[in-house]
Every structure is written in C-alpha cells, then in structure tokens.
Coordinates of all heavy atoms in Angstrom, one line a residue:
M1 N 91.4 85.3 106.9 CA 92.1 86.6 107.2 C 93.2 86.7 106.2 O 93.3 87.8 105.6 CB 92.6 86.6 108.6 CG 93.4 87.9 108.9 SD 93.8 88.1 110.7 CE 95.2 86.8 110.8
L2 N 94.0 85.7 106.1 CA 95.2 85.8 105.1 C 94.6 85.8 103.7 O 95.2 86.5 102.8 CB 96.2 84.7 105.2 CG 97.0 84.8 106.5 CD1 97.7 83.5 106.6 CD2 97.9 86.0 106.3
W3 N 93.5 85.0 103.4 CA 93.1 85.0 102.0 C 92.4 86.3 101.7 O 92.7 86.8 100.5 CB 91.9 84.0 102.0 CG 91.4 83.8 100.6 CD1 91.9 83.2 99.5 CD2 90.1 84.3 100.1 NE1 91.2 83.3 98.4 CE2 90.0 83.9 98.8 CE3 89.0 84.9 100.8 CZ2 88.9 84.2 98.1 CZ3 87.9 85.2 100.0 CH2 87.8 84.9 98.7
L4 N 91.7 87.0 102.5 CA 91.3 88.3 102.2 C 92.4 89.4 102.0 O 92.3 90.2 101.2 CB 90.3 88.8 103.3 CG 88.9 88.1 103.5 CD1 88.2 88.5 104.7 CD2 88.2 88.4 102.2
A5 N 93.4 89.2 102.8 CA 94.6 90.0 102.5 C 95.3 89.8 101.3 O 95.7 90.7 100.6 CB 95.6 89.9 103.7
C6 N 95.3 88.6 100.9 CA 95.9 88.2 99.6 C 95.2 88.7 98.3 O 95.8 89.0 97.3 CB 96.0 86.7 99.5 SG 96.8 86.0 98.1
R7 N 93.8 88.9 98.5 CA 93.1 89.4 97.4 C 93.4 90.9 97.1 O 93.3 91.4 96.1 CB 91.6 89.3 97.7 CG 91.2 87.9 97.8 CD 89.7 87.8 97.8 NE 89.2 88.5 96.7 CZ 87.8 88.4 96.4 NH1 87.0 87.7 97.1 NH2 87.3 89.1 95.4
S8 N 93.9 91.7 98.1 CA 94.2 93.0 98.0 C 95.7 93.2 97.5 O 96.1 94.4 97.1 CB 94.0 93.8 99.2 OG 94.9 93.5 100.2
L9 N 96.5 92.2 97.5 CA 97.8 92.4 97.2 C 98.0 92.3 95.6 O 97.3 91.6 94.9 CB 98.7 91.2 97.7 CG 98.8 91.2 99.2 CD1 99.6 90.0 99.7 CD2 99.4 92.5 99.7
A10 N 98.8 93.1 95.0 CA 98.9 93.2 93.5 C 100.2 92.5 93.0 O 100.3 92.4 91.8 CB 98.8 94.7 93.1
T11 N 101.2 92.2 93.8 CA 102.4 91.6 93.3 C 102.6 90.2 93.6 O 102.0 89.7 94.5 CB 103.6 92.4 93.9 OG1 103.6 92.3 95.4 CG2 103.6 93.9 93.6
W12 N 103.3 89.5 92.9 CA 103.5 88.1 93.1 C 104.2 87.7 94.4 O 104.1 86.6 95.0 CB 104.2 87.5 91.8 CG 105.7 87.9 91.7 CD1 106.1 89.0 91.0 CD2 106.8 87.3 92.3 NE1 107.4 89.2 91.2 CE2 108.0 88.1 91.9 CE3 107.0 86.2 93.1 CZ2 109.2 87.8 92.3 CZ3 108.3 85.9 93.4 CH2 109.4 86.7 93.2
S13 N 105.1 88.6 94.8 CA 105.9 88.2 96.1 C 105.1 88.1 97.3 O 105.2 87.2 98.0 CB 107.1 89.2 96.2 OG 106.5 90.6 96.4
G14 N 104.1 89.1 97.3 CA 103.3 89.0 98.6 C 102.3 87.8 98.4 O 102.0 87.2 99.4
V15 N 101.7 87.5 97.3 CA 100.9 86.4 97.1 C 101.6 85.1 97.4 O 101.0 84.2 98.1 CB 100.2 86.4 95.7 CG1 99.4 85.2 95.4 CG2 99.5 87.7 95.6
T16 N 102.9 85.0 97.0 CA 103.6 83.8 97.1 C 103.9 83.6 98.6 O 103.8 82.4 99.1 CB 104.9 83.8 96.4 OG1 104.7 83.9 95.0 CG2 105.7 82.5 96.6
L17 N 104.1 84.6 99.4 CA 104.4 84.5 100.8 C 103.2 84.1 101.5 O 103.3 83.3 102.4 CB 104.9 85.9 101.3 CG 105.2 85.9 102.8 CD1 106.4 85.1 103.1 CD2 105.5 87.4 103.2
I18 N 102.0 84.6 101.1 CA 100.8 84.2 101.7 C 100.5 82.7 101.4 O 100.0 82.0 102.3 CB 99.6 85.1 101.3 CG1 99.8 86.5 101.8 CG2 98.2 84.5 101.8 CD1 99.7 86.8 103.2
A19 N 100.7 82.3 100.2 CA 100.5 80.9 99.9 C 101.3 80.0 100.7 O 100.9 78.9 101.1 CB 100.6 80.7 98.4
L20 N 102.6 80.2 100.8 CA 103.5 79.5 101.6 C 103.1 79.3 103.1 O 103.2 78.4 103.7 CB 105.0 80.0 101.4 CG 105.5 79.8 100.1 CD1 107.0 80.4 100.1 CD2 105.7 78.3 99.8
T21 N 102.6 80.6 103.5 CA 102.1 80.6 105.0 C 101.0 79.8 105.1 O 100.8 79.0 106.1 CB 101.9 82.0 105.4 OG1 103.0 82.8 105.1 CG2 101.4 82.2 106.8
L22 N 100.0 79.8 104.2 CA 98.8 79.0 104.4 C 99.2 77.5 104.2 O 98.6 76.7 105.0 CB 97.9 79.4 103.2 CG 97.2 80.7 103.4 CD1 96.2 81.0 102.1 CD2 96.2 80.6 104.7
A23 N 100.1 77.1 103.4 CA 100.6 75.7 103.4 C 101.2 75.3 104.7 O 101.0 74.2 105.3 CB 101.6 75.5 102.2
G24 N 101.9 76.2 105.3 CA 102.6 76.0 106.6 C 101.6 75.8 107.7 O 101.8 75.0 108.6
F25 N 100.5 76.7 107.7 CA 99.5 76.6 108.7 C 98.7 75.1 108.6 O 98.3 74.6 109.5 CB 98.5 77.7 108.5 CG 99.0 79.0 109.0 CD1 98.3 80.2 108.7 CD2 100.2 79.1 109.7 CE1 98.7 81.3 109.1 CE2 100.6 80.3 110.2 CZ 99.9 81.4 109.9
W26 N 98.4 74.8 107.4 CA 97.8 73.5 107.1 C 98.7 72.4 107.7 O 98.2 71.5 108.4 CB 97.6 73.3 105.6 CG 97.1 71.9 105.3 CD1 95.8 71.5 105.5 CD2 97.9 70.8 104.9 NE1 95.6 70.1 105.1 CE2 96.9 69.7 104.8 CE3 99.2 70.5 104.6 CZ2 97.4 68.4 104.4 CZ3 99.6 69.2 104.2 CH2 98.6 68.2 104.1
Y27 N 100.0 72.4 107.4 CA 100.9 71.4 108.0 C 100.9 71.4 109.5 O 100.9 70.4 110.2 CB 102.3 71.6 107.5 CG 103.3 70.6 108.0 CD1 103.3 69.2 107.6 CD2 104.1 71.0 109.0 CE1 104.2 68.3 108.2 CE2 105.0 70.1 109.6 CZ 105.0 68.8 109.1 OH 105.9 67.9 109.7
L28 N 100.9 72.6 110.1 CA 101.0 72.8 111.6 C 99.6 72.2 112.1 O 99.7 71.5 113.1 CB 101.2 74.3 112.0 CG 101.1 74.5 113.5 CD1 102.3 73.7 114.1 CD2 101.1 76.0 113.8
G29 N 98.6 72.5 111.5 CA 97.2 71.9 111.9 C 97.2 70.4 111.9 O 96.8 69.8 112.8
V30 N 97.6 69.9 110.8 CA 97.7 68.4 110.7 C 98.6 67.8 111.7 O 98.3 66.8 112.3 CB 98.0 68.0 109.2 CG1 98.2 66.5 109.2 CG2 96.9 68.4 108.3
D31 N 99.7 68.4 111.9 CA 100.8 67.9 112.8 C 100.2 68.0 114.3 O 100.5 67.1 115.1 CB 102.1 68.6 112.7 CG 103.2 68.0 113.3 OD1 103.3 66.8 113.3 OD2 104.0 68.7 114.0
A32 N 99.5 69.1 114.6 CA 99.0 69.3 116.0 C 98.0 68.3 116.3 O 98.0 67.7 117.4 CB 98.5 70.7 116.2
F33 N 97.1 68.0 115.4 CA 96.0 67.0 115.6 C 96.6 65.6 115.7 O 96.0 64.8 116.2 CB 94.9 67.1 114.6 CG 93.9 68.2 114.8 CD1 94.0 69.3 114.1 CD2 92.9 68.1 115.8 CE1 93.1 70.4 114.3 CE2 92.1 69.1 116.1 CZ 92.1 70.3 115.4
G34 N 97.7 65.3 115.0 CA 98.3 64.0 115.0 C 98.9 63.6 116.3 O 99.0 62.5 116.6
Y35 N 99.3 64.6 117.1 CA 99.9 64.2 118.4 C 98.9 64.3 119.6 O 99.3 64.2 120.8 CB 101.1 65.2 118.7 CG 102.3 64.9 117.9 CD1 102.6 65.6 116.7 CD2 103.1 63.8 118.2 CE1 103.7 65.3 116.0 CE2 104.2 63.4 117.5 CZ 104.5 64.3 116.4 OH 105.6 64.0 115.6
V36 N 97.6 64.5 119.3 CA 96.7 64.6 120.5 C 96.6 63.3 121.3 O 96.6 63.3 122.5 CB 95.3 65.0 119.9 CG1 94.3 65.0 121.1 CG2 95.4 66.5 119.4
N37 N 96.5 62.2 120.7 CA 96.3 60.9 121.3 C 97.6 60.3 121.7 O 97.5 59.2 122.4 CB 95.4 60.0 120.5 CG 94.0 60.5 120.4 OD1 93.6 61.2 121.3 ND2 93.4 60.2 119.2
K38 N 98.8 60.7 121.3 CA 100.0 60.0 121.5 C 100.7 60.4 122.9 O 101.5 59.6 123.3 CB 101.0 60.3 120.3 CG 100.4 59.8 119.1 CD 101.6 60.0 118.0 CE 100.9 59.5 116.6 NZ 101.8 59.9 115.6
D39 N 100.1 61.4 123.5 CA 100.9 61.9 124.7 C 99.8 62.5 125.6 O 98.8 63.0 125.0 CB 102.0 63.0 124.3 CG 102.8 63.3 125.5 OD1 102.7 62.6 126.5 OD2 103.5 64.4 125.4
A40 N 100.0 62.5 126.9 CA 99.1 63.1 127.7 C 99.0 64.6 127.6 O 98.0 65.2 127.9 CB 99.5 62.7 129.2
Q41 N 100.1 65.2 127.2 CA 100.1 66.6 127.0 C 99.9 67.0 125.6 O 100.0 68.2 125.2 CB 101.5 67.1 127.5 CG 101.7 67.0 129.0 CD 103.1 67.5 129.4 OE1 104.0 67.7 128.6 NE2 103.3 67.5 130.7
G42 N 99.5 66.1 124.7 CA 99.3 66.4 123.4 C 98.1 67.3 123.1 O 98.1 68.0 122.1
G43 N 97.1 67.3 124.1 CA 96.0 68.3 124.0 C 96.4 69.7 124.0 O 95.7 70.6 123.5
L44 N 97.6 70.0 124.6 CA 98.1 71.3 124.7 C 98.4 71.9 123.3 O 98.4 73.1 123.0 CB 99.3 71.4 125.6 CG 99.1 71.2 127.0 CD1 100.4 71.2 127.7 CD2 98.3 72.3 127.6
N45 N 98.6 71.0 122.3 CA 98.8 71.4 120.9 C 97.6 72.1 120.4 O 97.7 73.1 119.6 CB 99.1 70.2 120.0 CG 100.5 69.7 120.3 OD1 101.4 70.3 120.7 ND2 100.7 68.4 119.9
L46 N 96.4 71.6 120.8 CA 95.2 72.3 120.4 C 94.9 73.6 121.0 O 94.2 74.5 120.5 CB 94.0 71.4 120.7 CG 94.0 70.0 119.9 CD1 92.8 69.2 120.3 CD2 94.2 70.1 118.4
V47 N 95.6 73.9 122.0 CA 95.5 75.3 122.7 C 96.6 76.2 122.1 O 96.2 77.3 121.7 CB 95.8 75.1 124.2 CG1 95.8 76.5 124.9 CG2 94.7 74.3 124.9
F48 N 97.8 75.7 121.8 CA 98.8 76.6 121.5 C 99.0 76.8 119.9 O 99.4 77.8 119.4 CB 100.2 76.2 122.0 CG 100.3 76.5 123.5 CD1 100.3 75.5 124.4 CD2 100.3 77.8 124.1 CE1 100.2 75.7 125.8 CE2 100.3 78.0 125.4 CZ 100.3 77.0 126.2
A49 N 98.5 75.8 119.2 CA 98.7 75.9 117.7 C 97.9 77.1 117.2 O 98.5 77.7 116.3 CB 98.3 74.6 117.1
P50 N 96.6 77.2 117.5 CA 96.0 78.4 117.0 C 96.7 79.8 117.4 O 96.6 80.7 116.6 CB 94.6 78.4 117.5 CG 94.3 77.0 117.9 CD 95.7 76.4 118.3
V51 N 97.1 79.9 118.6 CA 97.9 81.1 119.0 C 99.1 81.4 118.1 O 99.3 82.4 117.7 CB 98.2 80.9 120.5 CG1 99.1 82.1 121.0 CG2 97.0 80.8 121.3
Y52 N 99.8 80.3 117.8 CA 101.0 80.5 117.0 C 100.5 80.8 115.5 O 101.2 81.6 114.9 CB 101.8 79.1 116.9 CG 102.5 78.7 118.2 CD1 102.7 77.4 118.6 CD2 103.0 79.7 119.1 CE1 103.3 77.1 119.8 CE2 103.5 79.4 120.2 CZ 103.7 78.1 120.5 OH 104.4 77.7 121.8
Q53 N 99.4 80.2 115.1 CA 99.0 80.5 113.8 C 98.5 81.9 113.7 O 98.8 82.6 112.6 CB 97.8 79.5 113.4 CG 98.3 78.1 113.0 CD 97.1 77.3 112.8 OE1 96.0 77.6 113.1 NE2 97.4 76.2 112.0
L54 N 97.8 82.5 114.7 CA 97.4 83.9 114.7 C 98.5 84.9 114.7 O 98.6 85.8 113.9 CB 96.5 84.2 115.8 CG 95.1 83.7 115.6 CD1 94.3 83.9 117.0 CD2 94.4 84.4 114.5
G55 N 99.5 84.5 115.6 CA 100.7 85.4 115.6 C 101.5 85.4 114.3 O 102.0 86.4 113.8
A56 N 101.8 84.2 113.8 CA 102.5 84.1 112.5 C 101.8 84.6 111.3 O 102.3 85.3 110.5 CB 102.9 82.7 112.3
G57 N 100.4 84.5 111.4 CA 99.6 85.1 110.2 C 99.7 86.6 110.3 O 99.8 87.2 109.2
F58 N 99.6 87.2 111.4 CA 99.7 88.6 111.5 C 101.0 89.1 111.1 O 101.2 90.1 110.3 CB 99.4 89.2 113.0 CG 99.5 90.6 113.1 CD1 98.5 91.4 112.6 CD2 100.5 91.2 113.7 CE1 98.6 92.7 112.7 CE2 100.7 92.6 113.8 CZ 99.6 93.4 113.4
C59 N 102.1 88.5 111.6 CA 103.4 88.9 111.0 C 103.7 88.7 109.6 O 104.1 89.5 108.9 CB 104.5 88.1 111.9 SG 104.6 88.4 113.6
T60 N 103.2 87.6 109.1 CA 103.2 87.3 107.6 C 102.5 88.4 106.8 O 102.9 88.8 105.7 CB 102.8 85.9 107.3 OG1 103.6 85.0 108.0 CG2 102.9 85.6 105.9
M61 N 101.3 88.7 107.3 CA 100.5 89.7 106.6 C 101.2 91.0 106.6 O 101.1 91.7 105.6 CB 99.1 89.7 107.3 CG 98.1 90.5 106.4 SD 96.4 90.3 107.1 CE 96.5 90.8 108.7
C62 N 101.8 91.4 107.6 CA 102.5 92.7 107.7 C 103.7 92.6 106.8 O 103.9 93.7 106.0 CB 103.0 93.0 109.1 SG 101.7 93.4 110.3
I63 N 104.4 91.5 106.7 CA 105.5 91.4 105.8 C 105.1 91.5 104.3 O 105.7 92.1 103.4 CB 106.3 90.2 106.1 CG1 107.2 90.4 107.5 CG2 107.4 89.9 104.9 CD1 107.7 89.1 107.9
A64 N 103.9 90.8 104.0 CA 103.5 90.7 102.7 C 102.9 92.0 102.2 O 103.3 92.4 101.0 CB 102.3 89.6 102.5
V65 N 102.3 92.8 103.0 CA 101.8 94.1 102.6 C 103.1 95.1 102.5 O 103.0 95.8 101.5 CB 101.0 94.7 103.8 CG1 100.6 96.1 103.5 CG2 99.6 93.9 103.7
T66 N 104.1 94.9 103.3 CA 105.2 95.8 103.2 C 106.0 95.4 101.8 O 106.4 96.3 101.1 CB 106.3 95.6 104.3 OG1 105.5 96.0 105.5 CG2 107.4 96.4 104.1
L67 N 106.1 94.1 101.5 CA 106.7 93.7 100.2 C 106.0 94.2 99.1 O 106.5 94.6 98.1 CB 106.8 92.1 100.1 CG 107.9 91.5 100.9 CD1 107.8 90.1 100.7 CD2 109.3 91.9 100.3
D68 N 104.7 94.0 99.1 CA 103.7 94.5 98.1 C 103.9 96.1 97.9 O 104.1 96.5 96.7 CB 102.3 94.2 98.4 CG 101.4 94.5 97.2 OD1 101.5 94.0 96.1 OD2 100.5 95.5 97.5
W69 N 103.9 96.8 98.9 CA 104.0 98.3 98.8 C 105.4 98.7 98.3 O 105.5 99.5 97.3 CB 103.8 98.9 100.2 CG 104.0 100.4 100.2 CD1 103.1 101.3 99.8 CD2 105.1 101.1 100.6 NE1 103.7 102.5 99.9 CE2 104.8 102.5 100.4 CE3 106.4 100.7 101.1 CZ2 105.8 103.5 100.8 CZ3 107.3 101.7 101.4 CH2 107.0 103.1 101.2
T70 N 106.5 98.0 98.8 CA 107.9 98.3 98.2 C 108.0 97.9 96.8 O 108.5 98.8 96.0 CB 108.8 97.5 99.1 OG1 108.7 97.8 100.5 CG2 110.2 97.8 98.7
E71 N 107.5 96.8 96.4 CA 107.6 96.4 95.0 C 106.8 97.3 94.1 O 107.2 97.8 93.0 CB 107.1 94.9 94.8 CG 107.5 94.4 93.5 CD 107.2 92.8 93.5 OE1 107.1 92.3 94.5 OE2 107.1 92.3 92.4
R72 N 105.5 97.7 94.4 CA 104.8 98.6 93.6 C 105.4 100.0 93.5 O 105.5 100.7 92.6 CB 103.4 98.7 94.2 CG 102.6 97.5 93.7 CD 101.1 97.8 94.0 NE 100.8 97.7 95.5 CZ 99.8 98.3 96.0 NH1 98.9 98.9 95.4 NH2 99.7 98.1 97.4
R73 N 106.0 100.4 94.7 CA 106.7 101.7 94.7 C 108.0 101.8 93.8 O 108.2 102.6 93.0 CB 107.1 102.1 96.0 CG 107.7 103.5 96.3 CD 107.8 103.9 97.6 NE 108.7 105.0 97.8 CZ 108.3 106.3 97.7 NH1 107.1 106.5 97.5 NH2 109.2 107.3 97.8
M74 N 108.8 100.6 93.9 CA 109.9 100.5 92.9 C 109.5 100.4 91.5 O 110.2 101.1 90.6 CB 110.7 99.3 93.4 CG 111.3 99.3 94.8 SD 112.5 100.7 95.0 CE 113.8 100.2 94.1
V75 N 108.4 99.7 91.2 CA 108.1 99.7 89.8 C 107.6 101.1 89.3 O 107.9 101.5 88.2 CB 107.0 98.7 89.6 CG1 106.3 98.7 88.3 CG2 107.5 97.2 89.7
G76 N 106.8 101.7 90.2 CA 106.4 103.1 89.9 C 107.5 104.0 89.7 O 107.6 104.9 88.7
L77 N 108.6 103.9 90.5 CA 109.8 104.8 90.3 C 110.6 104.5 89.0 O 110.9 105.4 88.4 CB 110.7 104.7 91.5 CG 110.1 105.3 92.9 CD1 111.2 104.9 94.0 CD2 110.0 106.8 92.7
L78 N 110.7 103.2 88.7 CA 111.3 102.9 87.6 C 110.6 103.3 86.3 O 111.2 103.7 85.3 CB 111.6 101.3 87.6 CG 112.7 100.8 88.5 CD1 112.7 99.4 88.5 CD2 114.1 101.4 88.1
S79 N 109.3 103.2 86.3 CA 108.5 103.6 85.1 C 108.6 105.1 84.9 O 108.5 105.6 83.9 CB 107.1 103.0 85.1 OG 106.4 103.6 86.2
A80 N 108.5 105.8 86.0 CA 108.7 107.3 86.0 C 109.9 107.7 85.5 O 110.0 108.7 84.7 CB 108.3 107.9 87.4
R81 N 111.0 107.0 85.8 CA 112.3 107.2 85.4 C 112.5 107.0 84.0 O 113.1 107.8 83.2 CB 113.4 106.5 86.2 CG 114.8 106.8 85.8 CD 115.8 106.1 86.7 NE 115.8 106.6 88.1 CZ 116.4 106.0 89.0 NH1 117.1 105.0 88.9 NH2 116.3 106.5 90.2
T82 N 111.9 105.9 83.4 CA 112.0 105.6 82.0 C 111.2 106.7 81.2 O 111.5 107.0 80.0 CB 111.6 104.2 81.7 OG1 110.2 104.0 82.1 CG2 112.5 103.3 82.3
R83 N 110.0 107.1 81.8 CA 109.2 108.0 81.0 C 109.9 109.5 80.9 O 109.7 110.1 79.9 CB 107.9 108.2 81.6 CG 106.9 107.2 81.3 CD 105.6 107.4 81.8 NE 105.8 107.2 83.3 CZ 104.8 107.2 84.2 NH1 103.6 107.4 83.8 NH2 105.0 106.8 85.5
S84 N 110.6 109.8 82.0 CA 111.3 111.1 81.9 C 112.6 111.0 81.1 O 113.2 112.1 81.0 CB 111.6 111.5 83.4 OG 112.5 110.8 84.1
G85 N 113.0 109.9 80.9 CA 114.3 109.8 80.0 C 115.6 109.8 81.0 O 116.6 110.0 80.4
G86 N 115.4 109.8 82.2 CA 116.6 109.9 83.1 C 117.0 108.6 83.6 O 118.1 108.3 83.9

C-alpha cells in the first residue's frame, strides 16, 4: 500500500517519509516476532502489530500526500512568480 502510494509522489520529502516508515514497519515486525516465545502474552504482538502498522501507514500516507501536494504547490507558485517578474 505504501509502496504504491510512494510511486505517485513526485517530491523527495514524501518519498523519504514513506521510506522511513517502511523501515520502521520492518523493525516493528522483527521486534514483534522476537517476543513471541519469551512471554506468555507475546503472541498478542502478532495481533496488535499489524493493527498498529495499518493505522500508522494510513496516517503516514496522508501526511506524505499532504507534504507532496504542498511542496508541488509552493514550487508552482514560486515558478509563476519568477516568470511574471514579481
């Protein structure tokens, strides 16, 4: 889901945010599976980790799209201003 969203982003800030989020998801997945056998309640990590990942992924995607839109709009406004000489 995040990778597909990243393909439509045109600015580096959104792509960087998505890349950092994917790295964080990888770490959370490895960490969640690491605690499964160490505690009787460790299996709950496998229930809640995907829920956290989906929620954080949706929020990150919204922020990345907003950053991308804002950055492209600002660049467009600055280029229009320089073309008009103002």
Side-chain angles (χ1 to χ4, degrees):
M1 178 174 70
L2 285 172
W3 181 76
L4 290 174
C6 185
R7 291 187 59 168
S8 67
L9 298 176
T11 59
W12 65 272
S13 59
V15 174
T16 303
L17 183 63
I18 296 292
L20 290 174
T21 303
L22 288 175
F25 286 170
W26 175 79
Y27 177 76
L28 179 64
V30 169
D31 194 40
F33 279 106
Y35 283 104
V36 171
N37 293 330
K38 294 181 183 175
D39 187 13
Q41 296 176 348
L44 291 174
N45 288 337
L46 300 179
V47 174
F48 290 108
V51 174
Y52 293 147
Q53 286 178 338
L54 283 173
F58 180 75
C59 292
T60 302
M61 196 165 52
C62 291
I63 292 169
V65 168
T66 304
L67 276 174
D68 184 63
W69 179 79
T70 304
E71 192 170 339
R72 282 192 286 162
R73 182 168 168 91
M74 294 300 288
V75 167
L77 288 174
L78 287 174
S79 66
R81 185 177 289 172
T82 56
R83 277 185 289 188
S84 67

